[in-house]
Amino acid sequence: MNIDASSPDSLERIAELVRQQDSSLDTTLLPPVEGFQTRTVALETLMREVTECLADGFRHRSPQDFPMLYFACGKARVGSTALSNLFGMTGMPSYYQPLKAMLRDALVGKRPALWAVPSSDDEPHIFSKETIGPYVLAESLFNPLKLLIEAGYPRHRLHLIMLDREPASSLASWLDKLISRAPEDVLLRHYVVAALSAAQVASYAQRQGVAVTHYVYEVSKEAVSSVRVLFERIGLSGSFNENAVTSWREPGDSHANNARVIFPSEATIYKVPNLHTSDSAYRYQRRATASLTEAQGEALERCGVNDAYRAAVAACVRDLGLNAALSQRLFGDWFAAAA
């Protein structure tokens, strides 16, 4: 799939393939990318390799042995790391994109490192976050929930927390934070692909009978009340602790007290300086978008990324039971467009 990202027609064409979930996206051979991918390989091959590795760890376990997994997923740069810190602060194990780490192993021809999911006897609830994108097409197209289900994770032990963020803000974050790892035109292409791929994950979950809750980043403008409603929605109201939202540091401590966040081992190229903002609480971080060009903004509308976000806003308002006044305050014109 060799598409000229500078061509508006080419970007629209791949966007349409993603929206239609065209099978050619699974079978097209994806070429190596310096530093990130060493083999020419199809997405379906990578997915199969990761699924087989996961299945090795799942197949001899009873359904009751799997902990309830609160599985947050969205395009990259949607506030997922802050959410993983938040869940870690409640005391449950919080995993930082273990499935994408396995995919990245497969991209360079390594057998993926096994994700050791604990027994429900030891940990009845766990959290994991996965982000789609940004560096190669394979990680901008993959469906992490599909990996879990096809490997044998029981559907009734999964609750998908579907993430999104206002498109211009998240694209600006990609271009600001990730430009040292990929050119601007590549980041735009992968952003569009990742945003549209992420929107397909919720549809897949619903077809599989997996519970879904949409949680859009902008609700963190009202952090405590939004997290409380989220925890009630997913059946964790007993685990809600306001301090887990507002107080991440002990006096004199310069780092968030999130010892239960579990990071995978990854290659140095993925360690991007200042990728994540250090903070003392879970809160909304505004991202300036003035750096985006008019053409980039038009691409988001033309390729359907803005439509996907409008749908996510409408679903979030429904799932969290937000009233019209609060929704208008949180989402502004996006709420009116989604209603």
Side-chain angles (χ1 to χ4, degrees):
M1 194 182 306
N2 186 14
I3 299 175
D4 178 8
S6 64
S7 165
D9 291 342
S10 295
L11 191 57
E12 285 185 67
R13 196 154 57 244
I14 190 173
E16 183 62 21
L17 290 174
V18 177
R19 287 198 301 269
Q20 293 178 356
Q21 300 180 68
D22 192 284
S23 60
S24 67
L25 297 171
D26 296 319
T27 58
T28 299
L29 292 177
L30 305 175
V33 178
E34 184 177 0
F36 298 104
Q37 180 177 332
T38 59
R39 47 193 301 220
T40 299
V41 63
L43 177 64
E44 65 178 8
T45 300
L46 296 164
M47 293 285 286
R48 184 179 66 252
E49 291 173 356
V50 176
T51 299
E52 290 173 352
C53 184
L54 278 172
D56 285 345
F58 292 171
R59 65 170 49 97
H60 299 300
R61 300 174 65 162
S62 69
Q64 294 75 24
D65 187 50
F66 288 83
M68 189 67 200
L69 170 53
Y70 301 96
F71 188 74
C73 180
K75 63 193 176 190
R77 311 303 299 165
V78 291
S80 61
T81 297
L83 199 63
S84 67
N85 288 341
L86 169 66
F87 273 83
M89 286 295 292
T90 69
M92 73 177 69
S94 177
Y95 294 89
Y96 183 94
Q97 51 198 46
L99 302 180
K100 188 157 74 171
M102 296 176 74
L103 179 76
R104 287 171 169 175
D105 281 344
L107 284 167
V108 296
K110 292 173 56 179
R111 177 170 172 77
L114 184 66
W115 180 23
V117 176
S119 167
S120 61
D121 288 340
D122 298 323
E123 300 290 350
H125 305 104
I126 63 174
F127 174 88
S128 178
K129 73 101 166 185
E130 295 289 342
T131 58
I132 300 176
Y135 302 114
V136 299
L137 271 173
E139 63 182 9
S140 301
L141 286 165
F142 89 121
N143 181 338
L145 182 63
K146 185 177 182 180
L147 293 172
L148 281 176
I149 289 175
E150 294 195 348
Y153 209 105
R155 291 165 175 79
H156 70 284
R157 305 297 288 165
L158 292 164
H159 194 127
L160 174 65
I161 303 173
M162 199 68 231
L163 307 178
D164 209 337
R165 182 184 183 185
E166 190 276 315
S169 297
S170 47
L171 175 58
S173 183
W174 279 48
L175 298 177
D176 176 41
K177 296 288 189 177
L178 308 176
I179 197 65
S180 66
R181 296 297 188 267
E184 189 172 278
D185 59 342
V186 171
L187 289 173
L188 174 61
R189 176 179 59 175
H190 291 177
Y191 176 80
V192 168
V193 171
L196 298 176
S197 295
Q200 303 294 343
V201 176
S203 299
Y204 173 80
Q206 289 160 351
R207 292 195 302 272
Q208 294 294 322
V210 172
V212 181
T213 294
H214 290 79
Y215 186 80
V216 174
Y217 179 65
E218 282 69 30
V219 299
S220 63
K221 293 173 183 177
E222 303 274 352
V224 172
S225 59
S226 295
V227 171
R228 180 184 288 110
V229 171
L230 171 65
F231 274 48
E232 290 173 354
R233 160 82 180 188
I234 64 177
L236 282 176
S237 56
S239 298
F240 176 78
N241 180 344
E242 188 168 325
N243 284 338
V245 182
T246 61
S247 303
W248 285 2
R249 293 178 186 164
E250 298 296 335
D253 186 5
S254 60
H255 300 286
N257 182 21
N258 54 3
R260 300 222 77 185
V261 178
I262 301 159
F263 295 88
S265 175
E266 289 195 299
T268 303
I269 196 167
Y270 294 111
K271 302 184 190 321
V272 179
N274 302 313
L275 181 61
H276 302 302
T277 303
S278 177
D279 209 335
S280 59
Y282 179 72
R283 73 182 97 219
Y284 175 74
Q285 299 279 355
R286 182 181 177 278
R287 165 65 59 175
T289 61
S291 60
L292 295 185
T293 67
E294 183 176 347
Q296 289 166 343
E298 289 174 351
L300 299 180
E301 184 66 37
R302 192 176 63 249
C303 293
V305 175
N306 288 349
D307 284 340
Y309 178 72
R310 292 182 189 103
V313 167
C316 180
V317 168
R318 179 196 67 228
D319 290 351
L320 300 187
L322 307 179
N323 63 43
L326 176 58
S327 299
Q328 181 66 40
R329 191 159 71 247
L330 295 174
F331 302 114
D333 292 342
W334 290 102
F335 170 64

